[in-house]
Short mmCIF file of all heavy atoms in Angstrom, two decimals:
data_model
loop_
_atom_site.label_atom_id
_atom_site.label_comp_id
_atom_site.label_asym_id
_atom_site.label_seq_id
_atom_site.Cartn_x
_atom_site.Cartn_y
_atom_site.Cartn_z
N VAL A 11 45.93 -4.40 -34.29
CA VAL A 11 45.90 -3.15 -33.42
C VAL A 11 44.62 -2.43 -33.37
O VAL A 11 44.19 -2.01 -32.18
CB VAL A 11 46.99 -2.15 -34.20
CG1 VAL A 11 46.91 -0.67 -33.65
CG2 VAL A 11 48.38 -2.74 -34.13
N LEU A 12 43.85 -2.54 -34.37
CA LEU A 12 42.51 -1.97 -34.35
C LEU A 12 41.55 -2.71 -33.35
O LEU A 12 40.86 -2.10 -32.59
CB LEU A 12 41.83 -1.97 -35.76
CG LEU A 12 40.36 -1.38 -35.95
CD1 LEU A 12 40.51 0.06 -35.55
CD2 LEU A 12 39.92 -1.61 -37.27
N ALA A 13 41.61 -4.05 -33.33
CA ALA A 13 41.06 -4.83 -32.39
C ALA A 13 41.41 -4.58 -30.83
O ALA A 13 40.58 -4.33 -30.00
CB ALA A 13 41.17 -6.35 -32.69
N ALA A 14 42.67 -4.30 -30.77
CA ALA A 14 43.15 -3.92 -29.42
C ALA A 14 42.73 -2.65 -28.96
O ALA A 14 42.23 -2.37 -27.84
CB ALA A 14 44.62 -3.96 -29.33
N VAL A 15 42.74 -1.62 -29.85
CA VAL A 15 42.13 -0.24 -29.62
C VAL A 15 40.63 -0.34 -29.30
O VAL A 15 40.25 0.25 -28.21
CB VAL A 15 42.40 0.59 -30.62
CG1 VAL A 15 41.66 2.01 -30.49
CG2 VAL A 15 43.98 1.03 -30.81
N CYS A 16 39.99 -1.05 -29.99
CA CYS A 16 38.47 -1.23 -29.60
C CYS A 16 38.35 -1.93 -28.39
O CYS A 16 37.42 -1.43 -27.59
CB CYS A 16 37.81 -2.02 -30.89
SG CYS A 16 37.67 -1.07 -32.34
N LEU A 17 39.04 -2.84 -28.13
CA LEU A 17 38.95 -3.62 -26.75
C LEU A 17 39.15 -2.77 -25.65
O LEU A 17 38.49 -2.64 -24.76
CB LEU A 17 39.70 -4.91 -26.84
CG LEU A 17 39.70 -5.79 -25.45
CD1 LEU A 17 38.31 -6.22 -25.39
CD2 LEU A 17 40.71 -6.82 -25.53
N VAL A 18 40.35 -2.08 -25.74
CA VAL A 18 40.76 -1.09 -24.74
C VAL A 18 39.73 0.01 -24.57
O VAL A 18 39.26 0.37 -23.45
CB VAL A 18 42.12 -0.51 -24.85
CG1 VAL A 18 42.47 0.64 -23.94
CG2 VAL A 18 43.27 -1.60 -24.75
N PHE A 19 39.23 0.60 -25.62
CA PHE A 19 38.29 1.66 -25.54
C PHE A 19 36.90 1.11 -24.87
O PHE A 19 36.35 1.95 -24.06
CB PHE A 19 38.00 2.25 -27.02
CG PHE A 19 36.93 3.38 -26.88
CD1 PHE A 19 37.26 4.59 -26.39
CD2 PHE A 19 35.67 3.09 -27.28
CE1 PHE A 19 36.41 5.63 -26.41
CE2 PHE A 19 34.74 4.11 -27.32
CZ PHE A 19 35.05 5.43 -26.91
N GLY A 20 36.51 -0.05 -25.40
CA GLY A 20 35.27 -0.63 -24.80
C GLY A 20 35.47 -0.93 -23.28
O GLY A 20 34.48 -0.73 -22.52
N VAL A 21 36.58 -1.51 -22.82
CA VAL A 21 36.68 -1.69 -21.43
C VAL A 21 36.71 -0.36 -20.60
O VAL A 21 36.10 -0.22 -19.64
CB VAL A 21 38.12 -2.51 -21.24
CG1 VAL A 21 38.37 -2.51 -19.85
CG2 VAL A 21 37.95 -4.00 -21.78
N LEU A 22 37.45 0.56 -21.20
CA LEU A 22 37.53 1.89 -20.40
C LEU A 22 36.12 2.60 -20.29
O LEU A 22 35.80 3.05 -19.33
CB LEU A 22 38.58 2.84 -21.03
CG LEU A 22 40.05 2.41 -20.88
CD1 LEU A 22 40.84 3.48 -21.66
CD2 LEU A 22 40.36 2.44 -19.35
N SER A 23 35.44 2.65 -21.48
CA SER A 23 34.20 3.18 -21.50
C SER A 23 33.24 2.52 -20.57
O SER A 23 32.36 2.98 -19.92
CB SER A 23 33.62 3.49 -22.85
OG SER A 23 33.38 2.22 -23.54
N GLY A 24 33.37 1.17 -20.51
CA GLY A 24 32.59 0.27 -19.69
C GLY A 24 32.90 0.59 -18.28
O GLY A 24 31.97 0.66 -17.35
N SER A 25 34.16 0.87 -17.90
CA SER A 25 34.54 1.15 -16.58
C SER A 25 34.01 2.44 -16.12
O SER A 25 33.59 2.80 -14.95
CB SER A 25 36.02 1.10 -16.42
OG SER A 25 36.63 -0.05 -16.75
N GLU A 26 34.00 3.41 -17.09
CA GLU A 26 33.46 4.73 -16.69
C GLU A 26 32.07 4.61 -16.37
O GLU A 26 31.42 5.30 -15.52
CB GLU A 26 33.78 5.72 -17.82
CG GLU A 26 35.17 6.12 -17.97
CD GLU A 26 35.48 6.86 -19.34
OE1 GLU A 26 34.52 7.25 -20.07
OE2 GLU A 26 36.63 7.16 -19.55
N ARG A 27 31.29 3.87 -17.29
CA ARG A 27 29.90 3.64 -16.93
C ARG A 27 29.65 2.99 -15.57
O ARG A 27 28.67 3.30 -14.92
CB ARG A 27 29.15 2.86 -18.11
CG ARG A 27 29.01 3.66 -19.39
CD ARG A 27 28.00 2.91 -20.27
NE ARG A 27 28.49 1.62 -20.72
CZ ARG A 27 29.16 1.43 -21.74
NH1 ARG A 27 29.44 2.45 -22.60
NH2 ARG A 27 29.51 0.19 -22.11
N ALA A 28 30.50 2.00 -15.35
CA ALA A 28 30.24 1.35 -14.12
C ALA A 28 30.60 2.26 -12.80
O ALA A 28 30.03 2.13 -11.78
CB ALA A 28 31.26 0.15 -14.05
N LEU A 29 31.47 3.12 -13.05
CA LEU A 29 31.77 4.14 -11.95
C LEU A 29 30.74 5.14 -11.80
O LEU A 29 30.52 5.61 -10.62
CB LEU A 29 33.27 4.77 -12.14
CG LEU A 29 34.42 3.86 -12.12
CD1 LEU A 29 35.57 4.49 -12.56
CD2 LEU A 29 34.57 3.15 -10.77
#
Side-chain angles (χ1 to χ4, degrees):
V11 169
L12 182 60
V15 167
C16 290
L17 181 64
V18 169
F19 179 77
V21 168
L22 287 178
S23 66
S25 297
E26 289 169 8
R27 280 195 302 265
L29 293 175

